[in-house]
C-alpha cells in the first residue's frame, strides 16, 4: 500500500496537482518527508499539508484485525501459513506442526553436533511425495562448507523409507530433486540470490536450506559497521524470499565465544542486590550464537543443538508459539531421532545458553564429504 499512487488517492485537485508537479508520486514519497519539508517543497501551508497526510495515511494504513479474524484466515489458508513436519514427534508438537512456512528457522550449535544431519533429513523429507509426509517438490541446498554428503543422504533415505529408496528409479528421482549450490564467497552467494528467487517459482522449490550463513560471512575480510551493513542486506533478502515463496527456509549458524560486550545484550540477565549485572558466564556456558543480535531478531524460530555430559539436546530457544523446551536426541543411520517426545521446560538463562560439554560421537558433519551421487554403486550406497 505504501506504493499506492497519489493520483489514485482522492485528494483535493489543487493539492494533488502540486504533489504531481514536485514528482511526489506515491504515498511512500509523501509519508517519508516531514510536515515542514513538505511545506517547503510544495509551498503550501501547514493546514493543507496535515490534511493531505491524514487522507493519505487513512487510505494506505492497513486495517485493524481481530485475533479471531486472523485465526479464521489461518485455517482458510493453511497451505500458505502451515508447518512442515520434521518427523520428530515431540518437536513437531511443540512447534504446532513443525518448521513454519514463510519465515526463517535457525539451527545453531557447535561443530559436529548434528546441524547438517538435521538439514539432510529435512531436505530428504521435503522431496518425498505428500503421502509420505513430504512436500513433493525440489529443495535448494546452499552448501557453504562442503559438508553435504550424497552418500549420507541416501543412507538416511534407505533406512527411513526403504520402500522408496530400495527402488533405484525412485531413489534417483528423490535425490534429483535436491539442488546443491556451493558458493565460494559472499559475493558469489549474493549473485546467486536473484537466480534462487526465480528458481523458487520455475522449479517448484518447496524448501531452502543455507548451511551455513555464518561461514559465508566469516570468510569475508570486512569488519565492524561495514560487515553488519552487508549482513543486513542479506538478512532482508533471505527474509523476503521466505515471505515471497511461503516455503520453509532453514539456516544453520555457528557459535562463538562470549565476550564482555555480550553482558548487556540479553534480556534474561538480572541485577544482583548490589546492582551489578550477573552475566551468563555464571551459568556455565561460554558460547553464544554467531552473527549477532541483528540476525537473532531476524529469525522467527531458533533451535539450539547442544551437548551436556555426553548427551545431545535440541532446544526450542526462540519461537512465537512454543515454550522453551529441550529434547534429548541421538543420531542413527536413519538420521536424527529423539530419545523422548516429552520435552523438558527450560528456564531463565538456560534458554539462550549453548553448551558443549563432554564428548559425543562425531558425525559426518565434520567429515566434509563431497561425494557425487552414483547410482551405479551396490545397493545405492
Amino acid at each position: 500500500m505504501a506504493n499506492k499512487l497519489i493520483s489514485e488517492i482522492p485528494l483535493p485537485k489543487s493539492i494533488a496537482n502540486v504533489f504531481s508537479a514536485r514528482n511526489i508520486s506515491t504515498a511512500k514519497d509523501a509519508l517519508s518527508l516531514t510536515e515542514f519539508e513538505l511545506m517547503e517543497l510544495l509551498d503550501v501551508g501547514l493546514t493543507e499539508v496535515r490534511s493531505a497526510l491524514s487522507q493519505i495515511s487513512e487510505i494506505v494504513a492497513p486495517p485493524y484485525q481481530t485475533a479471531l479474524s486472523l485465526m479464521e484466515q489461518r485455517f482458510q489458508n493453511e497451505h500458505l501459513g502451515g508447518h512442515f513436519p520434521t518427523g520428530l514427534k515431540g518437536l513437531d508438537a511443540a512447534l504446532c506442526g513443525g518448521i513454519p512456512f514463510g519465515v526463517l528457522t535457525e539451527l545453531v550449535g557447535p561443530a559436529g553436533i548434528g546441524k547438517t544431519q538435521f538439514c539432510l533429513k529435512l531436505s530428504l523429507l521435503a522431496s518425498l511425495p505428500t503421502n509420505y509426509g513430504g512436500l513433493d517438490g525440489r529443495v535448494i541446498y546452499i552448501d557453504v562448507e562442503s559438508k553435504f554428503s550424497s552418500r549420507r543422504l541416501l543412507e538416511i533415505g534407505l533406512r527411513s523409507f526403504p520402500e522408496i529408496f530400495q527402488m533405484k528409479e525412485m531413489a534417483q528421482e528423490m535425490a534429483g530433486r535436491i539442488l546443491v549450490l556451493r558458493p565460494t564467497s559472499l559475493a558469489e552467494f549474493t549473485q546467486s540470490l536473484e537466480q534462487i528467487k526465480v528458481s523458487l517459482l520455475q522449479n517448484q522449490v518447496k524448501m531452502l536450506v543455507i548451511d551455513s550463513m555464518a561461514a559465508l560471512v566469516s570468510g569475508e575480510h570486512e569488519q565492524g559497521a561495514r560487515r553488519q551493513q552487508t549482513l543486513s542486506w542479506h538478512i532482508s533478502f533471505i527474509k523476503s524470499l521466505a515471505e515471497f515463496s511461503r516455503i520453509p527456509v532453514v539456516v544453520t549458524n555457528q557459535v562463538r565465544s562470549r565476550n564482555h560486550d555480550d553482558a548487556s545484550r540479553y534480556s534474561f540477565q538480572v541485577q544482583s542486590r548490589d546492582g551489578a549485572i550477573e552475566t551468563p558466564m555464571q551459568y556455565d556456558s561460554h558460547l553464544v550464537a554467531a552473527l549477532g543480535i541483528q540476525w537473532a531478531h531476524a529469525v522467527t524460530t531458533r533451535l539450539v543443538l547442544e551437548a551436556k555430559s555426553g548427551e545431545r539436546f535440541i532446544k526450542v530457544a526462540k519461537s512465537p508459539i512454543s515454550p522453551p523446551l529441550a529434547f534429548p536426541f541421538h543420531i542413527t543411520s536413519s538420521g536424527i531421532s529423539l530419545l523422548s517426545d516429552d520435552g523438558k521446560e527450560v528456564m531463565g538463562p538456560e534458554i539462550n545458553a549453548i553448551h558443549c560439554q563432554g564428548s559425543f560421537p562425531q558425525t559426518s558433519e565434520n567429515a566434509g564429504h563431497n561425494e557425487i551421487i552414483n547410482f551405479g554403486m551396490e545397493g545405492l550406497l
Side-chain angles (χ1 to χ4, degrees):
M1 294 296 287
N3 292 322
K4 189 175 183 66
L5 297 175
I6 295 290
S7 59
E8 297 175 353
I9 299 174
L11 295 174
K13 189 172 182 179
S14 57
I15 194 73
N17 289 339
V18 177
F19 273 112
S20 177
R22 299 297 188 274
N23 293 321
I24 300 177
S25 56
T26 68
K28 182 178 180 181
D29 295 337
L31 297 174
S32 297
L33 300 172
T34 67
E35 292 178 344
F36 294 104
E37 286 173 333
L38 283 172
M39 287 174 60
E40 182 178 356
L41 185 62
L42 303 178
D43 194 22
V44 297
L46 181 59
T47 302
E48 290 88 343
V49 167
R50 284 181 172 173
S51 176
L53 289 178
S54 176
Q55 287 180 271
I56 294 171
S57 298
E58 186 176 352
I59 294 295
V60 302
Y64 290 107
Q65 291 181 287
T66 66
L68 177 61
S69 66
L70 289 172
M71 184 174 66
E72 291 171 344
Q73 288 177 27
R74 178 181 174 185
F75 284 126
Q76 293 171 0
N77 302 294
E78 185 64 25
H79 65 290
L80 296 177
H83 296 77
F84 173 54
T86 66
L88 306 176
K89 185 178 178 181
L91 181 62
D92 288 341
L95 297 176
C96 296
I99 305 296
F101 290 10
V103 295
L104 303 188
T105 296
E106 177 195 40
L107 308 178
V108 59
I113 193 67
K115 302 185 298 294
T116 296
Q117 296 276 344
F118 202 169
C119 289
L120 290 175
K121 185 67 174 282
L122 290 174
S123 300
L124 183 70
L125 290 171
S127 70
L128 294 177
T130 54
N131 58 312
Y132 283 92
L135 298 176
D136 199 22
R138 289 187 169 91
V139 176
I140 293 181
Y141 194 114
I142 302 178
D143 180 29
V144 179
E145 299 179 280
S146 296
K147 290 181 178 179
F148 181 91
S149 170
S150 54
R151 182 182 295 275
R152 176 62 175 141
L153 181 80
L154 290 173
E155 179 186 23
I156 294 173
L158 186 61
R159 302 300 182 187
S160 303
F161 304 96
E163 63 275 28
I164 292 180
F165 283 83
Q166 283 180 350
M167 295 184 290
K168 180 178 179 180
E169 293 77 12
M170 288 294 292
Q172 285 179 321
E173 182 181 349
M174 295 303 103
R177 292 180 175 184
I178 300 173
L179 315 175
V180 181
L181 300 177
R182 284 184 171 142
T184 57
S185 66
L186 188 60
E188 191 175 315
F189 173 64
T190 303
Q191 292 173 359
S192 67
L193 283 177
E194 282 292 347
Q195 298 175 356
I196 290 173
K197 189 172 184 178
V198 174
S199 297
L200 291 176
L201 289 178
Q202 294 182 346
N203 295 322
Q204 290 294 305
V205 173
K206 297 298 179 68
M207 175 177 283
L208 172 63
V209 177
I210 303 175
D211 184 20
S212 73
M213 190 66 198
L216 275 170
V217 177
S218 63
E220 301 299 306
H221 298 294
E222 294 178 350
Q223 297 294 330
R226 187 172 179 181
R227 177 171 169 176
Q228 285 301 313
Q229 184 178 9
T230 302
L231 179 61
S232 177
W233 185 90
H234 287 86
I235 291 172
S236 298
F237 198 95
I238 296 169
K239 285 189 68 175
S240 72
L241 284 179
E243 295 166 1
F244 161 77
S245 60
R246 306 304 303 175
I247 62 173
V249 175
V250 178
V251 183
T252 68
N253 190 7
Q254 299 170 350
V255 296
R256 63 172 175 81
S257 297
R258 190 188 305 275
N259 58 45
H260 179 72
D261 293 337
D262 294 318
S264 60
R265 294 183 182 181
Y266 296 91
S267 60
F268 57 71
Q269 291 177 333
V270 297
Q271 287 189 337
S272 61
R273 291 181 181 178
D274 61 2
I277 294 178
E278 295 180 359
T279 72
M281 291 291 288
Q282 296 172 318
Y283 297 101
D284 195 31
S285 172
H286 68 281
L287 299 176
V288 295
L291 298 181
I293 204 72
Q294 183 182 16
W295 172 261
H297 285 307
V299 300
T300 298
T301 302
R302 167 173 280 180
L303 303 179
V304 171
L305 283 74
E306 61 179 0
K308 295 177 66 175
S309 302
E311 189 173 18
R312 303 175 198 250
F313 292 88
I314 182 167
K315 180 168 61 183
V316 182
K318 179 186 178 184
S319 170
I321 56 177
S322 171
L325 296 172
F327 299 88
F329 76 93
H330 62 167
I331 300 176
T332 67
S333 59
S334 60
I336 284 183
S337 299
L338 297 184
L339 295 172
S340 171
D341 290 323
D342 298 322
K344 179 182 178 182
E345 190 164 1
V346 183
M347 306 294 289
E350 283 297 312
I351 296 172
N352 289 295
I354 302 176
H355 296 279
C356 187
Q357 300 173 349
S359 61
F360 51 88
Q362 295 298 298
T363 71
S364 60
E365 181 168 330
N366 287 346
H369 291 293
N370 283 313
E371 306 97 320
I372 302 300
I373 297 175
N374 182 355
F375 292 99
M377 291 186 291
E378 183 68 20
L380 300 179
L381 290 172

